[in-house]
Amino acid sequence: MKIEIGTADVFPSLNAALATRREPAFGEAAAPDVPVAVGWMLLGSFALIMSGFVLLYTGSRLSTMMVTISIVYTTIYLAVPAIFLRMEPQAKYHVTMAEFIDRGMHTWTGHVRGRDAIIQLLTIPLAVASAVFLIGLEAAVIL
């Protein structure tokens, strides 16, 4: 098996390893350089969004149905990556939050500092949570 993009040999050492390998090749870890705490932060931000829906938008039967559908969809949305992460081989070493903030992580486009990566991961979910609460509070005051 040779990995190519156009005519360029992208990963020559990987190609050599795959050529001599006899057992089946499995994928690599999905996020080996991201600490588990970052995943919990993402989960917390989605829980914040759903709690805002429950607290501020369940005034009628129809809106409660909408919130229930949103909670089910979010559960499915978050359960699929959790299942995939459980299926991959367990890493022997997990990066701690202090190491992550100190070292950062490498992406296809270059190196990202740890704090910047956390900000990039949490900006949109926390902005949505803020909007859910602000719009819900405004609607409660006006209506």
Side-chain angles (χ1 to χ4, degrees):
M1 175 190 302
K2 192 167 185 174
I3 301 172
E4 292 185 1
I5 296 178
T7 58
D9 194 6
V10 179
F11 301 108
S13 61
L14 177 63
N15 287 331
L18 289 175
T20 60
R21 190 176 204 166
R22 298 285 178 228
E23 69 269 3
F26 295 102
E28 62 184 46
D33 53 354
V34 178
V36 176
V38 174
W40 286 109
M41 288 178 194
L42 281 169
L43 184 64
S45 64
F46 278 98
L48 192 62
I49 293 168
M50 293 302 117
S51 65
F53 281 153
V54 169
L55 291 172
L56 299 168
Y57 295 90
T58 53
S60 70
R61 196 179 77 216
L62 293 176
S63 63
T64 302
M65 183 64 179
M66 179 272 311
V67 169
T68 304
I69 291 170
S70 297
I71 291 171
V72 169
Y73 175 75
T74 302
T75 303
I76 293 168
Y77 178 76
L78 296 174
V80 170
I83 291 168
F84 285 164
L85 288 171
R86 294 279 176 157
M87 291 173 54
E88 71 181 18
Q90 295 299 319
K92 295 177 185 171
Y93 176 75
H94 293 284
V95 177
T96 65
M97 184 62 86
E99 291 172 335
F100 179 69
I101 289 175
D102 184 46
R103 290 190 214 157
M105 64 185 292
H106 294 285
T107 66
W108 284 358
T109 58
H111 183 267
V112 178
R113 292 183 306 178
R115 281 190 174 86
D116 294 340
I118 292 172
I119 289 169
Q120 287 179 17
L121 287 168
L122 295 178
T123 297
I124 292 177
L126 291 178
V128 170
S130 298
V132 165
F133 277 95
L134 290 174
I135 292 170
L137 289 173
E138 184 178 345
V141 169
I142 293 172
L143 302 175

